[in-house]
């Protein structure tokens, strides 16, 4: 064969082009092309007398001799790389390929063997002495990098036993995050704060590992609450069960539950356990569930207590006033206004699964939930669909009472409930004495127009184009309640 060196280096250059430019894009096809090029290089070398298992000929021509040595060494390294790629692409499971540990370790071993073989066969160096020297050097290096070697072998154990894989949500000791990478040294976690945390494999193999992604689509969360020991456990557990019922983010199966966990000197600890189907919902579900527990406990007159802190001195508060202060609609009221409005509230009790408000009706009163869980449902052509659950401290019917807007949803109880209602006449009498409160309520309703679109009919477009939603609501309230002062323009409270 003429010019074998030129042909051999040409094949090597073509392989480099396929490798660096990643053409074609398909990994398997690219591997077979490179294997074909390696076979062609082997045929060129063996047919021209350039045997990679012996020194290159043409010792009389040093330039040709060294070029032959180089192409034979390239043959060994190229074969080592293709052997690693073949194992990685054709034999290793997909999960092992993502973790890269086995392919990296195997590639390092194969490359080391290829280098030793090239030194022994192509360059005819004394491999035995080199191996003996490298063994002593390996001992010295092993002592110097023993922590790194510990991570490597721990990584092999983790990849073999597979307590977690890339994409899983795990907790390693007290660190929680999603596994984004596993390599020969460490596991990379993406934490809930968006930071990357690197856990050495030696630490992970010795720590407690909790895999929140197994079994799939079921992830638990728990809240520990400290309650005053004077509170009756049955009352506390019923309030916590109502809180679990009111949280529509959590799963119904496995069933959530609440139980008494332990007692301390100053309090009794209760644990609330629930489950979600996606780890991304865990934070939102925990926050919502804690808020619901707080509200349902408050509706049962059960105070929560800071961990290990003695009970504060009890002070008496009117239940109606305390309820009004928790309603966002009345956040702007002063203490005297809250006290006056509380005297106009009437108490109503409802049994389980009782309809409180039907669709397309204009509520004649504002309903404030004192205890219990209510379901808000919207009727579609395919049937009823629950869009929200209402708990203590939440109100509904305010748009109908203030502006005469009808509701297009139905509201019914899921548990026995207690509601306080404020009728139209009482609201009108209150607003006549406090018209500035009406403006602030209209401003709040205007800012919550997204919720108005869900819980009531959309605001009509019959107002003038230059008129804002707030101005339109103010006009409707003034007309609805026959208020006498000027409804337009902003006002400030002294």
């Amino acid at each position: 064969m003429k010019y074998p060196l030129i042909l051999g280096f040409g094949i090597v250059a073509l392989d480099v082009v396929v490798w660096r430019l990643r053409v074609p894009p398909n990994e398997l096809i690219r591997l077979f092309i490179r294997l074909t090029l390696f076979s062609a290089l082997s045929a060129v070398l063996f047919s021209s007398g350039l045997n990679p298992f012996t020194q290159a000929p043409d010792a009389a021509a040093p330039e040709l001799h060294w070029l032959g040595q180089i192409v034979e060494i390239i043959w060994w390294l190229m074969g080592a790389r293709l052997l690693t790629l073949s194992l990685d692409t054709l034999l290793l499971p997909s999960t092992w390929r993502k973790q890269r540990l086995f392919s990296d370790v195997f590639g390092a071993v194969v490359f080391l063997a290829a280098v030793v073989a090239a030194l022994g066969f192509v360059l005819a160096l004394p491999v035995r002495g080199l191996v003996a020297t490298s063994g002593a050097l390996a001992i010295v290096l092993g002592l110097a990098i023993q922590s790194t070697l510990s991570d490597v072998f721990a990584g092999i154990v983790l990849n073999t036993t597979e307590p977690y894989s890339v994409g899983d949500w795990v907790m390693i000791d007290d660190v929680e995050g999603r596994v984004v990478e596993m390599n020969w040294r460490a596991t990379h976690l993406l934490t809930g704060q968006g930071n990357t945390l690197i856990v050495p494999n030696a630490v992970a193999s010795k720590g407690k590992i909790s895999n929140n992604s197994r079994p799939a689509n079921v992830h638990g969360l728990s809240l520990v609450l400290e309650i005053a020991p004077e509170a009756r456990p049955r009352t506390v557990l019923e309030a916590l069960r109502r809180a679990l019922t009111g949280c529509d983010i959590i799963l119904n199966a496995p069933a959530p539950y609440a139980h008494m966990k332990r007692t301390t000197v100053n309090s009794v600890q209760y644990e609330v356990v629930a489950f979600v189907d996606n780890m991304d919902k865990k934070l939102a579900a925990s926050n919502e569930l804690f808020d619901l527990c707080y509200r349902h406990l408050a509706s049962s007159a059960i105070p929560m207590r800071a961990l290990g802190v003695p009970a504060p001195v009890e002070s008496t508060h009117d239940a109606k006033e305390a309820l009004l202060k928790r309603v966002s609609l009345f956040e702007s009221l002063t203490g005297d206004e809250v006290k006056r409005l509380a005297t106009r509230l009437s108490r109503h009790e409802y049994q389980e699964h009782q309809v409180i408000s039907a669709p397309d009706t204009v509520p004649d009163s504002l309903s404030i939930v004192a205890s219990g869980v209510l379901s808000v449902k919207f009727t579609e052509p395919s049937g009823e669909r629950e869009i929200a659950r209402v708990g203590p401290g939440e109100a509904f019917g305010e748009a109908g009472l203030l502006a005469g807007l009808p509701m297009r949803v139905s509201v019914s109880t899921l548990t026995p409930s207690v509601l306080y209602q404020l009728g139209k006449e009482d609201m009108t009498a209150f607003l006549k004495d406090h018209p500035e409160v009406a403006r602030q309520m209209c401003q709040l309703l205007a800012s919550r127009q997204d919720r108005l679109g869900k819980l009531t009919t959309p605001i009509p477009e019959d107002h003038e184009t230059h008129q804002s939603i707030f101005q339109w609501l103010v006009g409707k309230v003034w007309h609805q309640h026959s208020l006498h002062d000027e409804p337009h323009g902003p006002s400030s409270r002294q």
Side-chain angles (χ1 to χ4, degrees), residues 441-454:
M441 289 182 176
C442 290
Q443 194 167 8
L444 180 60
L445 287 176
S447 66
R448 293 161 56 191
Q449 55 185 315
D450 290 338
R451 184 178 179 184
L452 279 173
K454 291 181 179 179

Side-chain angles (χ1 to χ4, degrees), residues 168-179:
D168 289 351
W169 272 93
V170 300
M171 178 177 288
I172 302 176
D173 286 337
D174 57 345
V175 177
E176 185 176 11
R178 173 180 287 153
V179 180

Side-chain angles (χ1 to χ4, degrees), residues 360-398:
D360 300 323
T361 60
V362 179
D364 58 356
S365 62
L366 174 70
S367 298
I368 305 173
V369 183
S371 65
V373 180
L374 282 67
S375 175
V376 181
K377 296 181 179 179
F378 178 71
T379 303
E380 297 177 325
S382 58
E384 282 190 330
R385 176 174 62 90
E386 185 179 62
I387 61 174
R389 291 188 178 181
V390 181
E394 295 183 273
F396 60 92
E398 67 273 16

Side-chain angles (χ1 to χ4, degrees), residues 260-265 267-269:
M260 195 277 289
K261 188 174 183 180
R262 60 189 292 263
T263 60
T264 64
V265 176
S267 63
V268 179
Q269 290 185 358

Side-chain angles (χ1 to χ4, degrees), residues 184-225:
W184 57 271
R185 181 186 173 274
T187 297
H188 295 233
L189 301 179
L190 182 64
T191 65
Q193 291 76 31
N195 303 319
T196 300
L197 183 67
I198 300 176
V199 182
N201 289 332
V203 175
S205 63
K206 296 177 183 178
K208 295 185 298 181
I209 300 174
S210 174
N211 193 330
N212 297 323
S213 297
R214 301 179 187 175
N217 301 325
V218 177
H219 311 284
L221 58 95
S222 66
L223 302 175
V224 177
L225 309 173

